[in-house]
Structures are given as C-alpha cells and as structure tokens.
Amino acid sequence: MKRIYLSAFVMIVFSFCALAGGYQVKLQGQKQTGMGLIGTPLSFGASSIFYNPGGLSFMDSKFSVSAGVNGIFANVAFEKEGTGNLFRTDNPLSTPFYIYGAANIGSNITVGLGVYTPYGSTTQWEEENEDGIPWAGRYIIHKISFSALFIQPTIAYKISDKLSLGAGFIYATGNVDLERSLNYNEHSMMKLEGSTSNIGFNAGLMYRPTTKISVGVNYRSKIDMKMEDGDADFTVPELVGTQIPEKNTFDATLPLPANLDIGISFQVTKQLLVAAEVDWVQWSTYETLDFTFQESGDVLNSSITKNYNDSWITRIGAQYELSEKLALRLGAYYDPSPVNDDYFNPETVSLNTIAWTAGLSYSPVEYLSIDLSYDQLNGLKSDKQLLDENGENQFSGTYKVITHIPGIGVSLNF
Amino acid sequence: MKYKYLSYIFILALISACQPEIDEFTPDQGTADFSRFIAVGNSLTAGYTDGALYEQGQKYSFPNLMATQFGPVGGGEFKQPLLSYPDGIGLQTTPMGTFYIPRLTLQKIPTCTGEAYRPAPTDPSYINKQQEMAAALMTPVSSQGPFNNIGVPGLKSFHMLIPGYDTLNPYYFRFASGPVPGDDTLIAEIRRIDPTFFSVWIGNNDLLDYALAGGEEGGPAHKITTVGPDPVFGHPGYAESMNTVLTSLADPLAHNAKGILINVPDILMSPYFNTIPYNGLILRRGQADTLNMAYAQVPNINFDAGPNPFVIEDPGVQTGMRFIEEGEHILAIVLDSVECKGYGSAKPIPGKYVLTHQEVSNIHGTINEYNSELQDIITKFPANVAYLDFHALLKQAHETGIYADGIEFTTEGITGNLFGLDGLHLSPQGNALVAYYCIEAINANFDAQVPQVTITSFPSIVYP
C-alpha cells in the first residue's frame, strides 16, 4: 500500500486543477477529470448520470456506484492599473463532490440517481495586500460564494447495441452569500444571503457505430436560480440608517446556463483510448444581475451589467491501461472566458484558461477502483475593465489565475 | 508515515509556489523632474476642509497625496505648514460677525423639527476661545520652511502680485519666509525652493466671496481679509496674475519647470449652494391655503400642496418679492431659518442669501472667461504645462456622478463623497480623486508613469 500512497502523491504533484468559465464546475467524475473533463462519449459507470445519461446503458456491470470529492485551490492575482499594487484572493478551499448509483434493471433499461455540485465558486479578496493597502475593490465585492447542488434521477434506454438514449430530471438547490464594504466608515457593509431551488433536465445519447468508436451528445437545460426574500443585512452609520434599514430582504436571479456537449472517443489499441469533446456553454443568457430590495428599493436596487458571451470549450484526453489494475490518464482543454471584457467584475474572475489534467485508477480487485485526478487551470494574464453607468472605466487592471484541483474518488462495479 | 507527512509538506509548498505573479507596472518620471514639487493655490491646495485648516485635513491635501505618489519617480520631501491647534482654525462670517471656528463634525443637534445630524463646530465653546485661536493662527512656523505647499486659504489671483500680502492674510503670514529684497510677493515665496515641478489652482476665490455674499455687498461673505480696493467680482487682473505666475515657473527660456494647471470649476455646483433646493418648500393643503391668504395681495405667488418654490426678495419686481426659479440658488447658511423661522414661506428670503439668474450668469460668465484665459496662457508653454479640466469633471459629478473603484462621487452634501462637511472644500476621497486626475494628466503630458493613487485607501467623511 505504501507504493500506492507514494505514486498517488507523485501523481498529485505532477498533475494538479477543473473549473470551467464563469462559475461552472465540471468535476463530476475523477476518471473524466483525468482525461480533460471529457465524459460525453465515455461510459465510466454511474458517473454518466452527469456527463451523458445516454452512456449509462453501456455500463459494463449490472450495478455501479461512484463517489468522490475535489479540492479547489484557486489563486487569483490582480494588479490595479497604473499603480503596481498587487492584490490576491484569500479563497477558502471549496470541495465539490458527487455520489452516483445506477442499476441495469433489465429490458435494456438502466436507472440511476446522482447527487452532485456542478456550479460553485468562492471569491474572497484579502483584506489588505502585502504592502498593507486595503483591497481596492471592496466597494465592488469583498466576498462572494455561490454553490448549487443537483439531485438527478435518471433513466437510460438502449435502443440497440449501438445506440442508447438517457434523460434525467434535475432538482437544483443553490445558495449565494455576498459581502461588500460600503463607503461610509470602515465597519459599513452589506451582506446578502439567499437560497433557492428550481428544476431542469439533463439528456443525452450515445452512439457506438463500431466497437472502437463512441460518439456522445449531451444537453443540460438552463436553470434560473431565483432567489426570493433573501436576507440583506446592512451595517451603516445611524445617520444613513434612516435611508438604509439594517434588516431587509432581496430578490435576485442567477442563471445556470444550458450546456450542449459533443464528444467522440476512439479505442486506438487495447490499452489506449483517446477522446475529444466540444462544449457549448450558453452564457449569453447572463445579461444582467438585478437586485431588488423589499425596502428602500429606490436607494438600493441595482442592475449590474454582465453581457456574458457563449463559450466553446475544446478538450482532448487519453487513457492508457498499464495493466488490469492500473490505468493512467492525461488531458488538456482550452476554456475561453465567457465574461465580457468591459464588464469584468472582480466577483467572478474567469479568464481565458488553458488547463491540463492527469489521473489514475487503481483496482486492487476487479469490482473496485480507486480514482485520483489532478487538474491545473492557468487563467491567462489579461487586462480587464469594469465600466460604470456612464460607460466609463471605473475599475481596471491585470488579472491572472492559477488553480490546483486534486481529487479522489471510488467506484464500485458489480 | 514519515513519507506521508513529507509529501503533505511538499504538496503545500508546491501549491504556495504556484501563486500567480503580475508585474506590469514600472514607475517612470518621463520628461518631468519631481524632485522639488511646489503646490500653489488657495484653501483647496492647502487642505482646508470641514470649515477649517487642521492637521489631518492638510495631510489629505491633494498635493500632499500627489507628492507621496511622486516618491518612486524621484520625488523629494514635501513640507506642509501644518497647523497643530486641536481641531484646527477656520474663519466663518455670519450676520453677527466674523469668528474663528474649529473644524465641523457631524453631530446630532436639536432643531425645530427634532434632533438631526448636522455639521457643527467640534468644540462648541469656540466663542470663548477667539483670542487663543487668533494667537495660534498667527504663530509663525516659517522657521520650519521653506514649504512646498504654498496653499493659502482665501488667496485670489491678484493677491499673488501684492507686495507684503503676508501681512494681510494670517494663513499666509504664519508660514511666509519674510521679505525678500526686490520682490516681496507670493511669487518670490514660490520660487524660493527653486521648484522643478508645480501645481497651480487659482481662481475659485475670485468668485467665491461674491457668491457667498449672495452677489450683494453686505452679504455673509467668508472674507479672509479685505485687501485695498478689492472688487469682489470679476477682478480684471486674472489673466495678468496667472500669466505672471505661470511664466515665472514654466517659461522654457527662464525657470523652465514643468507642472499642472487646474482650471476653475463652477463653484455653484458645490453642495453649499444646493443644500436647499429651489422648490424645497413641501406643504400640506392646509398650510398652502394659509400661506395663500397671507400672500393674497401678491400676484404670481400661489402655493399648492406638495413641493413649492421658496419666496425670495427681489427689488426688481413691483411687489419686491417673487418665487425663486430653477437655476437660482439659496445659500446653505439660512438652512436653519428656512426650516424653523419661516424663511421662504412666511417671509421672503433676503436677497443677500440668494443668487438670482443675473448673479448666476455673472459668475458663469466670469468662470468661462477665466478658463479661456488659462487656455491662452498654456498654449505658450505646451511642453511644460499639463492641464486638468476640473470644470468638466465637477460638471460630470453634478450631472451623472463619477464612479471610481465602486465609489460614486456626486455633488450631494455629506453623502456625495466629493465634498467635506462645509460643502465647499474637498473630502479626503475628493482630494484623492483630484490627485488621481492630476496624475493621469501628468502621465499623459510628460510621458511619465507616476503610480496612481488608490482612492479607496482614503475615507469619505467621518460618520459619527
């Protein structure tokens, strides 16, 4: 076992990170993560519930159970334009996870249930930088944390040996937590907290024209997370308290965009599997983020321009089965930022990102697999600005991001 | 197990080593030499704010903030004549006379409509300390000079050409270096440290006394001092005065220093002239009816429920009074009388507290004239003088707001962030905004990379 520990750590060290643009997180299976987060054309057991319900029918076993967790270590740096002042995030570790179970119940029908966290991010800027300068964007955002949990009962039907369809119903819950300083005195701040739920669906098909080729198409619907009556707490001087009540409630809507993923895999040799995928993430739905407050709306209501763009993510990945017990994986992808260059807000620092991944699975016994993955995201250095209501720049500078995401999971197939 | 711990440490080290680094900015002085920077101007340059000159306000003066930013590009020491008297010393002219006052702070004070937060002198016993304050203000600090901040509260353009001006203005007297053979004007003081870089912002005061007097003699002008024949309005010497000071600093054939010139904003956009809106008389039906009976003999004055214009004195109309109109201004000094003593409703507001259309147009006309004269002067030394159109910036703050780093700057009193509690001078963040725009203009004009000021590092006003 010692050798496994060591190789696992070596793995983690040489491979580390998997956030997609915006606030989407596609870490729903360690095997897929190791291959550049490609899942649409692949069937790795129950985790197809997320990546492509159509792939469930091609499960090798009657039952499949899979669970895992990732740790996201995101490091954002920002140099304010014209100042040379560097600020960093002090993000807490965030841990997306997944649990799936699937069973082939006969008559070419497979059913399953997945619980997973496909969206989420926490951006928390340091209070002050190394030179003792307070975070210059604190009147825009100090901390924002968003997470969503999806529960997805799923059914797949194998039409023929070559074609399978699958679909799942999504029950989504989410919560958001936001903190911003207010420009009155050093204690003045606004804290918003809200949670909500909504429904959506996830559907896909998998087509295997030959034993070596697999093609997958998957669509996840847009889900609007409508926050209603969230708590809005204001800490303000008494003088301002007549205009801004301490306790208030707010409504806001955060869209989770639709995804259309298309992928293909090819079994080159008995050991080597290669795959490629393109994901169309329909972020252009995110036009504004509107906050409507119950009280003092005339002072507090805001409409923040987002004007996100759709993003096209391209991925490649490969798996090499060294032995019956050990499989190695590598992958890479390019994920262009969906965020509008002119409305780039330090709350969601999503840059054009080049990522590479690695992973391994170890099967001490045939039905069990221990899966490790590492994903490293390199948000490419770029200059961004945030325009104000008059169309003039109000906050600009250079951003760069490095994110490390190690992950561990376990799968049982029997 | 040892290996395991070692591995953990190794991983942690790797993660921390993978911090993204950015180094896009290299400070550069360009064609400018910031080693001896001098700031010439009035109370705005001095850091006078919240109704007084006081140490903390002086430390937030925009030239002092600029001097700090000049540090990495060859800037030198920037000496200011700090006034260490607790709570500072300001001058306030009221109908009862002129008083020394300490700085204003926001205080909950009783008014006729109940308790309210108002800017009020920090130390209410100031009336009993007039002699002590006068002595403190007249205590010379010139032995610590010469100073880099030649901001003199009350300074008008032509004051710069008056020999012996130090004996006429206590704010100048306290730090002036004393007579120089051959030239005893403020210009000699300016050149004493042989400046390599300058800021010049002069002209607001040429108009401010007129505006604060409601355009009339005998009004409540905050006069620092009266200098000989001192026409409060439209002194013809502006072009000559500014030409003299700028030529003495920037003429390439003579002193050849570089610097920035800031133009004259529309002072009537300051909160002081807008605290009482022209139609701020909010009446209920019954109140309107009562007033209508009282004004039954006055044509054109007819009150209604809701917002009404205030009634002002105007000798130009037959009845001697009329409704004030949009675009005319009421001075903030009568706020209490308007709220509690029936000014503008039961009795007309006296003309000395009001700026009528004619008076407003006199002020606007003169500002435009001044600014076009400044344009003419700088065309003589384009390579040496950067120009900041603060007139346009204040207009923008007034009309649409200026946003910087998530702060909205407007010309609202107290919550507008730009102005301090006296409604005429800059808040710390307002000073930082002026420094920001000055540095932007300097960087553009002199091909420099002076590091920008971080506006969010400064407070707005002090809230209780």
Side-chain angles (χ1 to χ4, degrees):
Chain A
M1 279 305 278
K2 197 171 185 177
R3 267 196 23 225
I4 299 170
Y5 270 134
L6 275 177
S7 47
F9 284 123
V10 168
M11 247 290 312
I12 288 167
V13 166
F14 284 98
S15 64
F16 261 117
C17 301
L19 291 181
Y23 38 82
Q24 189 171 12
V25 184
K26 228 186 159 190
L27 303 155
Q28 272 69 43
Q30 306 305 343
K31 291 181 174 127
Q32 290 88 343
T33 300
M35 290 180 69
L37 289 81
I38 296 176
T40 315
L42 306 175
S43 176
F44 284 135
S47 54
S48 290
I49 288 171
F50 169 76
Y51 287 100
N52 182 357
L56 270 188
S57 304
F58 292 106
M59 242 159 58
D60 295 335
S61 57
K62 192 160 167 56
F63 297 100
S64 173
V65 177
S66 175
V69 62
N70 294 75
I72 301 178
F73 300 87
N75 303 299
V76 182
F78 169 71
E79 185 181 282
K80 196 165 188 301
E81 187 182 6
T83 65
N85 293 336
L86 188 69
F87 297 95
R88 296 184 185 280
T89 52
D90 198 3
N91 294 332
L93 173 68
S94 86
T95 50
F97 69 91
Y98 59 86
I99 305 169
Y100 308 104
N104 186 330
I105 56 170
S107 315
N108 292 329
I109 292 174
T110 307
V111 295
L113 179 69
V115 178
Y116 57 90
T117 54
Y119 291 89
S121 83
T122 299
T123 303
Q124 180 170 353
W125 290 91
E126 60 191 1
E127 301 269 334
E128 59 177 42
N129 72 4
E130 283 172 10
D131 303 321
I133 301 168
W135 161 230
R138 67 187 181 281
Y139 300 126
I140 300 168
I141 194 75
H142 173 231
K143 179 190 170 187
I144 183 164
S145 172
F146 169 71
S147 66
L149 178 79
F150 282 23
I151 300 171
Q152 183 190 320
T154 304
I155 183 163
Y157 178 65
K158 199 172 194 175
I159 296 168
S160 71
D161 283 351
K162 292 181 176 174
L163 184 66
S164 161
L165 296 175
F169 163 85
I170 293 171
Y171 173 76
T173 66
N175 59 65
V176 70
D177 179 356
L178 181 156
E179 280 177 36
R180 201 174 85 187
S181 298
L182 299 174
N183 185 28
Y184 298 115
N185 60 34
E186 55 190 315
H187 310 294
S188 302
M189 63 178 284
M190 173 180 91
K191 202 168 159 30
L192 305 181
E193 227 179 319
S195 58
T196 185
S197 60
N198 205 343
I199 55 168
F201 69 91
N202 184 8
L205 68 84
M206 191 174 281
Y207 177 57
R208 292 189 163 172
T210 73
T211 51
K212 290 186 173 177
I213 293 177
S214 176
V215 178
V217 178
N218 186 60
Y219 181 81
R220 282 184 302 284
S221 68
K222 175 191 172 191
I223 299 178
D224 277 331
M225 297 306 265
K226 286 185 187 158
M227 234 75 67
E228 279 171 8
D229 295 329
D231 292 329
D233 294 344
F234 287 84
T235 310
V236 292
E238 191 190 327
L239 168 68
V240 189
T242 51
Q243 285 186 327
I244 302 175
E246 270 187 40
K247 296 276 175 197
N248 203 339
T249 61
F250 75 98
D251 296 347
T253 298
L254 201 60
L256 307 182
N259 280 242
L260 180 66
D261 302 348
I262 300 171
I264 182 163
S265 71
F266 182 61
Q267 192 77 45
V268 183
T269 67
K270 200 162 178 254
Q271 284 85 25
L272 181 65
L273 173 71
V274 294
E277 181 174 315
V278 174
D279 300 348
W280 174 25
V281 190
Q282 293 163 32
W283 278 112
S284 57
T285 184
Y286 197 19
E287 290 174 347
T288 60
L289 176 58
D290 299 325
F291 289 98
T292 312
F293 290 86
Q294 175 88 38
E295 287 176 56
S296 299
D298 50 334
V299 188
L300 297 173
N301 288 355
S302 67
S303 176
I304 303 165
T305 305
K306 294 292 181 187
N307 287 345
Y308 273 33
N309 304 305
D310 284 2
S311 70
W312 291 84
I313 308 172
T314 44
R315 309 173 184 281
I316 51 168
Q319 169 178 271
Y320 189 80
E321 286 180 64
L322 212 56
S323 70
E324 297 232 317
K325 293 191 171 180
L326 191 63
L328 303 177
R329 301 185 188 93
L330 281 175
Y333 58 93
Y334 178 68
D335 184 357
S337 169
V339 183
N340 190 306
D341 280 352
D342 293 330
Y343 295 97
F344 198 94
N345 189 311
E347 85 189 17
T348 309
V349 183
S350 172
L351 305 171
N352 290 344
T353 298
I354 291 175
W356 63 278
T357 68
L360 69 77
S361 289
Y362 177 73
S363 300
V365 288
E366 199 194 335
Y367 59 86
L368 172 71
S369 159
I370 296 163
D371 311 315
L372 298 169
S373 76
Y374 171 73
D375 183 1
Q376 177 171 325
L377 308 182
N378 299 285
L380 304 179
K381 189 167 79 178
S382 47
D383 297 339
K384 304 284 184 182
Q385 63 176 350
L386 174 62
L387 299 185
D388 65 23
E389 293 171 17
N390 307 324
E392 288 178 28
N393 172 32
Q394 67 155 323
F395 192 78
S396 56
T398 310
Y399 293 87
K400 193 178 174 186
V401 181
I402 298 177
T403 305
H404 306 283
I405 309 176
I408 186 162
V410 61
S411 0
L412 288 164
N413 296 289
F414 49 97
Chain B
M1 288 308 278
K2 238 187 208 166
Y3 283 114
K4 199 174 162 185
Y5 287 120
L6 280 175
S7 303
Y8 276 132
I9 291 164
F10 185 49
I11 289 165
L12 283 175
L14 184 91
I15 287 171
S16 55
C18 286
Q19 287 276 0
E21 293 300 334
I22 305 173
D23 189 9
E24 296 288 283
F25 183 79
T26 312
D28 183 357
Q29 66 180 63
T31 60
D33 173 357
F34 299 105
S35 56
R36 292 185 302 280
F37 168 42
I38 199 143
V40 186
N42 51 39
S43 46
L44 294 166
T45 295
Y48 185 107
T49 190
D50 298 338
L53 188 71
Y54 65 101
E55 198 171 314
Q56 191 57 54
Q58 290 176 283
K59 286 180 177 165
Y60 288 132
S61 73
F62 78 88
N64 195 41
L65 305 188
M66 284 167 68
T68 306
Q69 301 307 114
F70 290 160
V73 286
E77 191 189 6
F78 190 78
K79 276 196 198 174
Q80 300 200 103
L82 298 177
L83 179 59
S84 58
Y85 188 76
D87 298 321
I89 302 168
L91 273 174
Q92 187 179 44
T93 302
T94 69
M96 278 84 75
T98 298
F99 298 96
Y100 294 108
I101 61 160
R103 72 187 175 96
L104 309 172
T105 46
L106 272 174
Q107 294 169 36
K108 205 173 199 174
I109 53 177
T111 72
C112 61
T113 52
E115 285 202 317
Y117 280 103
R118 290 284 155 75
T122 324
D123 175 1
S125 67
Y126 67 94
I127 296 287
N128 306 322
K129 294 183 178 167
Q130 292 297 303
Q131 281 187 341
E132 182 188 312
M133 292 171 91
L137 184 58
M138 298 294 280
T139 305
V141 293
S142 28
S143 61
Q144 299 158 34
F147 293 98
N148 299 70
N149 190 334
I150 314 288
V152 180
L155 187 77
K156 295 177 185 175
S157 58
F158 62 92
H159 290 159
M160 293 187 292
L161 306 184
I162 297 174
Y165 177 63
D166 57 338
T167 60
L168 301 171
N169 184 335
Y171 287 100
Y172 182 39
F173 174 80
R174 55 185 291 272
F175 75 86
S177 303
V180 188
D183 187 358
D184 191 17
T185 66
L186 192 123
I187 297 203
E189 184 74 34
I190 292 167
R191 296 188 55 170
R192 192 177 288 267
I193 66 157
D194 187 21
T196 59
F197 201 83
F198 61 84
S199 72
V200 171
W201 191 8
I202 292 162
N204 306 18
N205 273 340
D206 295 37
L207 300 141
L208 193 60
D209 280 354
Y210 175 82
L212 292 174
E216 289 167 37
E217 293 211 25
H222 295 216
K223 283 187 192 170
I224 304 295
T225 182
T226 304
V227 180
D230 180 2
V232 288
F233 173 71
H235 195 280
Y238 188 72
E240 188 192 339
S241 309
M242 297 306 285
N243 195 31
T244 306
V245 66
L246 284 162
T247 303
S248 81
L249 288 164
D251 187 348
L253 300 173
H255 194 74
N256 199 21
K258 291 183 166 59
I260 182 159
L261 175 67
I262 306 170
N263 74 356
V264 183
D266 180 357
I267 55 172
L268 300 183
M269 290 177 178
S270 310
Y272 188 85
F273 298 102
N274 301 288
T275 299
I276 307 169
Y278 84 99
N279 62 347
L281 179 61
I282 314 295
L283 298 174
R284 292 189 300 272
R285 182 76 259 167
Q287 293 172 311
D289 292 343
T290 311
L291 281 172
N292 282 334
M293 275 189 278
Y295 284 92
Q297 305 305 314
V298 188
N300 301 326
I301 292 187
N302 193 19
F303 297 92
D304 225 326
N308 290 269
F310 288 103
V311 181
I312 59 168
E313 280 181 2
D314 185 350
V317 296
Q318 206 179 8
T319 53
M321 63 183 77
R322 63 174 172 87
F323 270 149
I324 193 170
E325 291 171 6
E326 192 172 2
E328 298 182 312
H329 299 265
I330 303 166
L331 308 189
I333 196 169
V334 292
L335 180 61
D336 190 55
S337 303
V338 164
E339 283 186 338
C340 304
K341 293 175 188 156
Y343 263 33
S345 48
K347 51 190 163 193
I349 302 173
K352 60 185 176 181
Y353 301 121
V354 174
L355 291 167
T356 59
H357 286 305
Q358 182 56 52
E359 290 158 348
V360 168
S361 132
N362 287 345
I363 292 169
H364 285 165
T366 307
I367 292 172
N368 292 339
E369 195 184 303
Y370 280 14
N371 287 338
S372 88
E373 285 167 0
L374 292 181
Q375 292 278 8
D376 290 346
I377 296 169
I378 59 163
T379 53
K380 292 200 248 172
F381 325 109
N384 277 357
V385 187
Y387 185 72
L388 176 62
D389 187 357
F390 190 70
H391 185 272
L393 287 170
L394 187 64
K395 189 164 185 275
Q396 190 189 344
H398 190 66
E399 289 170 359
T400 62
I402 293 175
Y403 296 81
D405 302 347
I407 299 172
E408 185 184 3
F409 289 97
T410 69
T411 54
E412 285 286 307
I414 301 178
T415 53
N417 299 321
L418 187 55
F419 286 91
L421 294 177
D422 56 23
L424 287 169
H425 296 95
L426 298 167
S427 71
Q429 274 175 1
N431 273 295
L433 190 73
V434 172
Y436 180 92
Y437 283 115
C438 282
I439 290 171
E440 190 176 71
I442 289 165
N443 284 342
N445 208 73
F446 304 119
D447 200 20
Q449 290 289 325
V450 177
Q452 264 299 4
V453 63
T454 300
I455 296 168
T456 49
S457 294
F458 300 91
S460 51
I461 57 161
V462 177
Y463 285 85

